[in-house]
Structure formats: C-alpha cells, structure tokens
Amino acid sequence: MTRSKARGYHHGDLREALVASGRKLVEEKGIRGFTLRECARRAEVSHAAPAHHFASMDDLLAELVRRGFAELTASMTTEAERVAEDEPASRLVGLGVGYMAFAAANPTLFQLMFSREANHIEAKAGDEGAASLRPLLAAVLDDVLAEASDEVRQQAADFAWATMHGFITLVLEGEIGGGDSSKALKARGLATLAAMAETVVRLARP
C-alpha cells in the first residue's frame, strides 16, 4: 500500500470504507474471523486508522448491527407497502416476506444482529434495533385486530415475529429446506407466513 493511497480517504470516506469492509468480512468469516486490522487492510488504510472512528472491534460490530436493523426495517416496510392498505392480513405476510428476504440475503449479519456471542456486540445496539421492529408489527396488527384487547394484540405480535424469525433461522441453519430448490423454499416460506396471518385473523373473531 503506498503512502499516497493510505492518505486517499477523507474523514467521511474512511468511516464508510471501514463499514463496507467490515460488512463483507462478517459475511465471509463470521464474528470469529473479524478483526479491525483486517477491516483496515481491506479498506487499504493503516491498521491504526480505524481508531479515528471506531475505538474497538465492538464499536464497528455495533455499527453493523445498527445498520442491519435499519435495512431489515426498510425491507419489511417495502414488502408490506406492495399490498393495498385495506388488506392488513396480506400486509402482515408482506412484513414476513421482507424479514425473510433480508435474512436470506445477509445470513451472517442477520444472525449477528440477534446474537450476544462472546459479548462482542453492545447489547444496546441489538436491543434498540430489535425494538424498532415492534412498531411495524403493531401498526399492521392494529388493523387486523382492531377490536381485540391489548393482551391479544401482544400475543399476536409475539406469534407473528416468532414465526418469521423461527422459520428463516431454521432455513439458515439447514434444518428446513436443505434439499429444496429456491422456488420451492420460497413457496414453503409463503405458506408458513400465510398460515401465520390466518391464525392471527382468527384471534379477531369473537
């Protein structure tokens, strides 16, 4: 690496370069193969340069987690908005589609977002990110369960999230769909989400 190249990043560029290299490293090596030194090498800066933006490996991982949750929220919102507002059960399925799509595209980051492995991540980053998903579910469930009690809505939110997370986690672990084609696996996921939404709708019935 030449001296001129090491100086090539400006203040704002370096942070983004480290985040980008860190994101790729997480997906390739997982948390056990993650180091600030390797992130710096991939960003083509000195091994001391990350300290200007991230005091430790934990800080960079926490930033990846925060951004991951922002992307997950956006993915869920986009899929839900593809459905008409007067079809709340279908929008609930859309949230699940967005959830699973993000996880499938970013498997290691997704697992990291919900992990406390070796305490390498600030608990606050993960807790705040996970908490941001609840309003998405609540907004849709308010329409599906307009007349239901708060207790029923909470049960529905827990059930919906557990279904989304549980299915895709089992897929990522190879426990579901190991021998399925991509098309068949997507069909299984949609069927699971549809069954979840149908069960939630039943909770609204007296």
Side-chain angles (χ1 to χ4, degrees):
M1 180 179 65
T2 65
R3 184 178 297 272
S4 62
K5 195 166 190 179
R7 291 178 176 175
Y9 289 110
H10 296 293
H11 184 273
D13 298 328
L14 175 56
R15 182 181 180 86
E16 292 307 311
L18 291 169
V19 169
S21 63
R23 177 78 170 259
K24 290 179 181 178
L25 183 58
V26 160
E27 288 297 341
E28 292 175 13
K29 304 292 186 180
I31 191 172
R32 289 186 174 86
F34 191 93
T35 65
L36 273 181
R37 182 180 290 270
E38 177 60 15
C39 289
R41 188 190 70 78
R42 293 184 178 210
E44 300 183 317
V45 296
S46 72
H47 65 82
H52 294 292
H53 297 283
F54 301 103
S56 68
M57 183 178 76
D58 293 3
D59 290 342
L60 179 50
L61 285 171
E63 179 64 15
L64 294 180
V65 166
R66 279 189 285 268
R67 294 191 184 202
F69 274 111
E71 292 177 25
L72 174 58
T73 299
S75 179
M76 295 171 71
T77 301
T78 297
E79 292 300 328
E81 289 178 346
R82 296 182 191 276
V83 182
E85 289 190 9
D86 60 352
E87 298 180 21
S90 296
R91 283 193 287 127
L92 183 58
V93 172
L95 290 178
V97 170
Y99 194 95
M100 292 183 183
F102 172 84
N106 307 277
T108 307
L109 177 60
F110 177 78
Q111 292 170 328
L112 184 65
M113 287 158 57
F114 292 95
S115 171
R116 296 289 184 271
E117 184 176 0
N119 294 318
H120 279 164
I121 309 170
E122 289 181 15
K124 187 177 180 182
D127 292 345
E128 289 179 349
S132 70
L133 303 180
R134 289 195 177 276
L136 291 179
L137 286 168
V140 173
L141 290 172
D142 282 347
D143 292 334
V144 178
L145 304 171
E147 305 300 323
S149 67
D150 290 343
E151 181 180 3
V152 169
R153 293 186 191 192
Q154 184 62 64
Q155 290 172 350
D158 292 344
F159 174 64
W161 194 356
T163 301
M164 298 172 191
H165 191 84
F167 183 89
I168 194 60
T169 297
L170 288 170
V171 168
L172 296 179
E173 294 293 335
E175 300 297 334
I176 289 179
D180 290 349
S181 66
S182 176
K183 182 177 180 180
L185 187 55
K186 287 181 180 179
R188 287 180 69 174
L190 280 172
T192 299
L193 293 173
M196 174 271 290
E198 182 179 347
T199 301
V200 169
V201 168
R202 287 177 184 165
L203 294 175
R205 297 170 188 166

